[in-house]
Amino acid sequence: MVRQMPEDPIVRNIIDLMRGAQMNRRALLRGAAVGAAGAGTLALSACGGGGGGGSVEQGDGSAGSIVWGNWTYYLDFNEDTQTWPTLDEFMAQTNISVDYIEDIDDNNTFYGKIKDQLQLGQNTGYDTITLTDWMNGRLIQDGQVQELDASRMPNTKNLLANLRDSLDVDPGRKYTMPWQAPASGVVWNTEAVPDGIKTIDDFLRPELKGKVGMLTEMRDTMGIIMQGLGTDISGEWGDPEFDAALAWLDDAIKSGQVAQLKGNSYTQDLETDTTLAAIAWTGDIAILNSEQGERWTLEVPESGGVITADSFTVPNGTTPENKELVEDLINFYYEPEIAAQVADYVWFVTPVEGAREAMEAINPEQVDNPFIFPDDDMNSRLHGFRTLTPQEDKKYTEAFSKVLGL
């Protein structure tokens, strides 16, 4: 089946560039950022998952069909054949057809897209989605997702122990199952900032004025600042702790010390030296360094970085039959060999125990990559942002956005 193209001409152009020039993942992200103002979300929709790879074995779909909504560039992709190898393997093994749609680019905007159906218990158009756990916590609290059947997913015994109870409103992962686990830390230009960034106050050194960047994702930026000020973001904290961190950020912005506040496009500022030090996502910096010769150092600060998970859920409205097919899909991706193939492409922390050993055969150079397989020391410094109540979420998000001038 032919891959459907988005209607937006900017997005079409980006996809054409990708196909024509065989752009790599990072280059495509640049293109997406440039076109973002007019493009909104970037959607690549493939019926049968394999896109233009007509010769790829995908099964006959006789076992049923499901729709999977995921973030962009979050599944192993073969740029030569324009196919998703592990997804093709799943379909060939099971005869389950998967419409794989990369149209999540922001938790809030995607939730806004399906919230009416969720509130009415109607089919959202997706049998499974992989939103971030703070949003999943909201869906669970609102009773908008279905409980998973662990007996149909024996491979989920491989879930890393530190992720099993990391979503406080879903202990034991009854409603969610992590897909990947993005982590954030601090990054600096190794040559321009030889002393590095060890504490959040290092961001305030005079020589870095106007060269410091922060993420527009509240939980990553505020999580690192709050920990830098001594708050356990996973534990009990409230307005005083949040307000203190927000005041620190407000002062840094008003003084001109922090000049860049961005989402994914922050990497462009690192590449042009517009930003010399920043809060960053681990996978991004790993890829930048692989492409540009280790120009940056990224560390999880002693005070703590932030880890979360983007997790599979089954929204209300998905039929019982399709929920079982989703559980088959989840079980497949919890095979260590499959998880390692995905991790080799996406470079975020894999949630699957045994994937590191499996990586030996897939790509030995990745076995010691701390961004995929954090060591014990790094793990001890990564903490989850506790689930906010709806009232807290609204209040803190509005306050954060106001300080950022959004």
Side-chain angles (χ1 to χ4, degrees):
M1 187 172 291
V2 177
R3 171 177 292 177
Q4 301 167 12
M5 288 289 283
E7 295 181 355
D8 191 296
I10 297 176
V11 179
R12 284 177 175 270
N13 185 50
I14 291 170
I15 295 172
D16 285 341
L17 283 172
M18 179 185 74
R19 289 174 171 172
Q22 296 298 303
M23 296 169 69
N24 61 26
R25 178 172 179 261
R26 172 55 47 195
L28 186 55
L29 283 169
R30 291 193 197 101
V34 169
T41 60
L42 176 61
L44 296 176
S45 179
C47 182
S55 62
V56 175
E57 176 63 43
Q58 297 174 342
D60 59 15
S62 59
S65 177
I66 56 175
V67 181
W68 174 11
N70 199 6
W71 299 80
T72 308
Y73 320 117
Y74 218 22
L75 177 64
D76 55 305
F77 185 71
N78 186 319
E79 293 174 355
D80 293 329
T81 58
Q82 300 289 291
T83 60
W84 286 278
T86 59
L87 190 58
D88 290 332
E89 185 176 344
F90 170 75
M91 292 188 290
Q93 283 185 16
T94 63
N95 283 326
I96 298 171
S97 176
V98 181
D99 283 348
Y100 180 68
I101 306 175
E102 296 185 335
D103 60 352
I104 305 175
D105 73 340
D106 178 273
N107 285 288
N108 284 307
T109 57
F110 188 82
Y111 175 74
K113 180 177 174 181
I114 62 174
K115 68 180 178 62
D116 290 343
Q117 289 84 1
L118 283 173
Q119 290 168 358
L120 294 171
Q122 298 176 346
N123 189 288
T124 62
Y126 303 88
D127 294 297
T128 185
I129 49 180
T130 51
L131 295 173
T132 307
D133 269 355
W134 65 264
M135 177 61 81
N136 290 328
R138 183 189 296 179
L139 300 182
I140 292 168
Q141 290 175 316
D142 290 343
Q144 296 178 337
V145 292
Q146 303 184 43
E147 185 170 345
L148 299 169
D149 183 352
S151 69
R152 292 187 54 81
M153 306 181 295
N155 288 336
T156 58
K157 68 180 186 302
N158 297 322
L159 174 64
L160 292 177
N162 63 346
L163 289 173
R164 188 162 296 279
D165 297 320
S166 60
L167 178 56
D168 51 6
V169 298
D170 188 25
R173 296 286 178 178
K174 293 182 175 60
Y175 294 88
T176 60
M177 194 53 62
W179 164 244
Q180 302 293 316
S184 56
V186 296
V187 65
W188 62 88
N189 182 304
T190 304
E191 181 176 350
V193 191
D195 294 334
I197 302 294
K198 304 303 179 186
T199 72
I200 61 167
D201 284 341
D202 285 338
F203 281 126
L204 306 180
R205 294 203 301 258
E207 66 270 25
L208 292 177
K209 186 169 185 175
K211 296 287 188 178
V212 176
M214 300 276 164
L215 297 171
T216 52
E217 177 62 34
M218 181 187 76
R219 286 162 179 78
D220 289 288
T221 289
M222 292 299 289
I224 286 180
I225 296 173
M226 290 172 70
Q227 290 182 94
L229 296 178
T231 297
D232 174 8
I233 60 171
S234 301
E236 297 295 327
W237 55 267
D239 290 355
E241 291 81 5
F242 186 87
D243 291 344
L246 194 64
W248 184 97
L249 178 61
D250 192 30
D251 288 345
I253 293 173
K254 287 178 177 174
S255 68
Q257 192 74 23
V258 172
Q260 306 298 329
L261 298 142
K262 295 187 176 179
N264 275 331
S265 61
Y266 76 98
T267 56
Q268 299 169 64
D269 294 328
L270 289 170
E271 292 178 81
T272 59
D273 293 339
T274 303
T275 292
L276 296 179
I279 290 174
W281 287 301
T282 55
D284 291 338
I285 305 307
I287 291 175
L288 281 176
N289 272 332
S290 73
E291 294 179 349
Q292 300 192 23
E294 304 297 325
R295 288 181 59 200
W296 298 274
T297 299
L298 184 138
E299 289 186 1
V300 176
E302 289 293 333
S303 54
V306 180
I307 189 167
T308 186
D310 296 322
S311 300
F312 288 104
T313 60
V314 177
N316 289 349
T318 294
T319 65
E321 294 79 14
N322 279 16
K323 173 175 168 289
E324 290 187 352
L325 302 185
V326 171
E327 290 160 347
D328 290 344
L329 178 75
I330 295 171
N331 190 58
F332 174 81
Y333 277 105
Y334 267 78
E335 292 179 13
E337 293 76 13
I338 301 301
Q341 289 183 57
V342 176
D344 188 37
Y345 179 85
V346 303
W347 285 45
F348 282 108
V349 176
T350 176
V352 179
E353 186 74 50
R356 183 171 188 171
E357 290 74 15
M359 188 67 86
E360 292 274 7
I362 294 169
N363 185 355
E365 292 182 0
Q366 295 276 42
V367 170
D368 294 322
N369 185 338
F371 302 120
I372 298 175
F373 307 109
D375 57 22
D376 291 343
D377 179 57
M378 181 180 285
N379 266 325
S380 71
R381 286 179 275 137
L382 290 170
H383 305 285
F385 202 93
R386 75 165 173 83
T387 299
L388 303 177
T389 67
Q391 294 78 17
E392 288 176 325
D393 194 6
K394 182 174 187 296
K395 177 172 64 178
Y396 293 153
T397 299
E398 288 179 352
F400 179 73
S401 297
K402 183 177 180 181
V403 165
L404 265 58
L406 300 176

